[in-house]
Amino acid sequence: MKKVAIVGTGLLGGSFALALRDFFSGISITAVNSTTQTTERAIELGIADKGSNLKEACREAELIVLAAPVTVILQILPEVLDYITASAVVVDFGSTKYAMCKRVAYHPKRGRYVALHPMAGTENSGPDAAFKELLIGKKLIICEQEKSDFDALDTVRYLFGARFSMDIYYIQPDKHDVYLAYASHLSHLTSFALANTALRKQYYEPDILKFAATGFRDTARLAKSPASMWAPIFEQNKEAILEALQEYIDELNFIKEKIQNNDQREIYHYIEKANRIAPIIDRLTPK
Amino acid sequence: MKKVAIVGTGLLGGSFALALRDFFSGISITAVNSTTQTTERAIELGIADKGSNLKEACREAELIVLAAPVTVILQILPEVLDYITASAVVVDFGSTKYAMCKRVAYHPKRGRYVALHPMAGTENSGPDAAFKELLIGKKLIICEQEKSDFDALDTVRYLFGARFSMDIYYIQPDKHDVYLAYASHLSHLTSFALANTALRKQYYEPDILKFAATGFRDTARLAKSPASMWAPIFEQNKEAILEALQEYIDELNFIKEKIQNNDQREIYHYIEKANRIAPIIDRLTPK
């Protein structure tokens, strides 16, 4: 595998490129972006060798990585499969999987596509946020692996599993989207809302965030995430996200009522229930 | 200053003790705790030299530090001022300040008390969580400094400002409590509710948190915080917390409606508004 095309050389696409160059020599990487500025920056940073348009890039590449916002992936995926050669492999890094898989379920080249979701990211975005360690050792979800050709799946397993040391999990797309709504998408909503609550209060109390510390930082950090990435995710995973969000609002209304009623016993109990998250947090915390 | 009493040798009280020993030699530290187990562990960890009861400890010490849950501080504060010698200094580390200051406003020894809030903490608790660097270089809020005697205030400024390199801010207690509701207390509520949402879903989908990553970790990390500390804070800062919580719930209902209506333009706009939190997050993030 010598020729790779990356559609969207931002945080994930860029980090993939840097890792790829670290493990293999002589790889030629073509960037496809919506702005020439991003492509130029990707070339400056050593992420890509050149820029091209989608059609040209897909015709030439042996591996095509779609790392654009999920609406863009959903839109171009059938087209990409139309363009590629018979032996090329297409993967995407989108944070939603049900809509993608459904979209190309009956495409004649469905077998060349492997639906991926690497569980890695930061609140930063763009080529400058990319770093070669981002994917290494993380979890990788493969959806509908039974619809991918053996050789395409093997390429993915070799590259991400054997070389990037990623833990591979096989999950069906609908399950994936529900899991992610609770384990990731909801966390982003809680951060966006927390940031907007604090920023609105700041109009009246300009010093309100002067004493924000690590607690605020961590609960609001994801609010830095780009709208171009997240607005489409909220659209594509709408059903599961609305369910998770409503359950979260119900939790908040519950504890609000207990605080209103000075119900110390129930507040205690509520916090102790939440404390059971500790092993999950600890497992995710570097020692 | 040779004799110090610490009421509550947990994360904050214990870290204070360790820093104190690091900067001064020949200090004798007496621990006052609700369980002898905590005192024994504090002695083992080098936090305290001995244990005692509140009355004895206050009579002997030149500096008394109240680092217990805020309900305990509120309850014992007048008593502590009754017990101390005429030249002793009392400080507290409580996360609420209005109720404390009001409680001893007319106490004959009010001048010996300096109301503090060191802006430092982690989600861990107990003497084992203490470490000597916790307070160093952080922010320290002093409330109603005009009601403290000059020499008591100078002791605090010297110890926390000059030695521990803490940045000192003077804020009135009611303002402090509103600021903290938004900058800290609300973040804890968002984490407790997020943890409980995920844990409840886990009954039905046992693998739901298998793919939790750093985003979930950070937004739910504070849910490890102890009920013994936080239930009393929610009681004492009830009014400001309920206001902040309601505004947060309103924000969530707003974005929920936009997601329901597929209003991509408004969702975009909402996320972009939240992105303005970036400079505050970046300022709090170690380089």
Side-chain angles (χ1 to χ4, degrees), chain B residues 15 23 53 65 106 117 129 133 136 150 162 169 171 195 215 227 240 266 282:
Chain B
S15 296
F23 281 95
N53 61 49
V65 175
Y106 300 104
H117 184 191
E133 297 84 3
I136 312 304
F150 278 126
Y169 296 85
I171 302 180
E266 282 282 350
D282 293 342

Side-chain angles (χ1 to χ4, degrees), chain B residues 59-262:
Chain B
R59 279 183 174 164
E60 279 180 7
E62 295 153 272
L63 173 67
I64 297 94
V65 175
L66 310 179
V70 291
T71 8
V72 176
I73 300 176
L74 191 64
Q75 190 200 318
I76 64 174
L77 187 53
E79 209 181 330
V80 167
L81 289 176
D82 290 343
Y83 295 148
I84 59 165
T85 64
S87 64
V89 176
V90 177
V91 302
D92 84 297
F93 287 171
S95 197
T96 60
K97 288 271 107 17
Y98 184 77
M100 314 285 178
C101 289
K102 195 177 162 199
R103 185 84 201 263
V104 291
Y106 300 104
H107 194 286
K109 291 193 204 152
R110 171 64 183 88
R112 306 316 302 162
Y113 168 56
V114 187
L116 301 183
H117 184 191
M119 301 303 303
T122 75
E123 71 280 21
N124 301 312
S125 54
D128 285 277
F131 56 102
K132 68 178 182 186
E133 297 84 3
L134 179 62
L135 295 170
I136 312 304
K138 302 286 167 63
K139 292 189 174 76
L140 178 72
I141 296 173
I142 302 183
C143 288
E144 278 190 348
Q145 76 286 350
E146 73 280 6
K147 299 214 176 154
S148 298
D149 294 343
F150 278 126
D151 72 293
L153 208 51
D154 274 349
T155 301
V156 166
R157 284 193 191 115
Y158 170 70
L159 185 56
F160 293 90
R163 304 312 300 260
F164 291 1
S165 306
M166 298 183 79
D167 277 330
I168 298 179
Y169 296 85
Y170 301 92
I171 302 180
Q172 287 311 301
D174 51 347
K175 212 69 162 171
H176 167 277
D177 283 12
V178 172
Y179 285 12
L180 268 289
Y182 284 84
S184 164
H185 306 168
L186 178 58
S187 287
H188 285 78
L189 281 170
T190 69
S191 275
F192 292 134
L194 183 63
N196 278 333
T197 303
L199 290 166
R200 189 144 53 99
K201 186 68 178 176
Q202 221 179 14
Y203 283 115
Y204 305 96
E205 292 281 1
D207 284 338
I208 198 97
L209 287 171
K210 197 168 185 175
F211 303 102
T214 51
F216 182 84
R217 177 196 71 197
D218 287 353
T219 47
R221 177 178 67 83
L222 298 175
K224 285 179 65 184
S225 305
S228 57
M229 173 173 175
W230 284 94
I233 289 174
F234 296 153
E235 185 182 2
Q236 280 188 28
N237 200 17
K238 178 178 166 180
E239 210 181 315
I241 285 172
L242 284 175
E243 182 200 293
L245 183 54
Q246 188 54 57
E247 289 180 11
Y248 181 63
I249 293 171
D250 292 346
E251 290 286 342
L252 291 167
N253 279 319
F254 175 86
I255 189 65
K256 189 186 82 180
E257 196 199 310
K258 303 306 169 195
I259 295 173
Q260 263 164 346
N261 300 338
N262 293 319

Side-chain angles (χ1 to χ4, degrees), chain A residues 95-139:
Chain A
S95 198
T96 60
K97 288 270 111 11
Y98 183 76
M100 314 285 179
C101 289
K102 196 176 161 200
R103 186 81 200 264
V104 291
Y106 301 103
H107 193 285
K109 292 193 204 152
R110 170 64 184 90
R112 306 316 302 160
Y113 168 56
V114 187
L116 301 182
H117 184 191
M119 302 301 305
T122 75
E123 71 280 21
N124 301 312
S125 54
D128 285 278
F131 56 102
K132 68 177 183 187
E133 298 85 2
L134 179 63
L135 295 170
I136 312 304
K138 303 286 167 62
K139 292 189 173 76

Side-chain angles (χ1 to χ4, degrees), chain A residues 7 16 38 46 55 65-66 72 75 97 105 123 141 143 146 167 172 178 188 231 235 244 251 259 277 281 285:
Chain A
V7 182
F16 171 77
T38 308
K55 195 170 184 174
V65 175
L66 309 180
V72 176
Q75 191 201 317
K97 288 270 111 11
E123 71 280 21
I141 297 173
C143 288
E146 74 281 6
D167 278 331
Q172 287 310 301
V178 172
H188 284 77
E235 186 182 359
E251 290 285 343
I259 295 173
I277 206 75
I281 303 294
T285 305

Side-chain angles (χ1 to χ4, degrees), chain A residues 32 51 70 76 104 147 149 169 190 195 213 216 239 251 275:
Chain A
V32 181
V70 291
I76 65 174
V104 291
K147 299 214 176 155
D149 293 343
Y169 296 84
T190 70
F216 182 84
E239 209 181 318
E251 290 285 343
N275 288 165

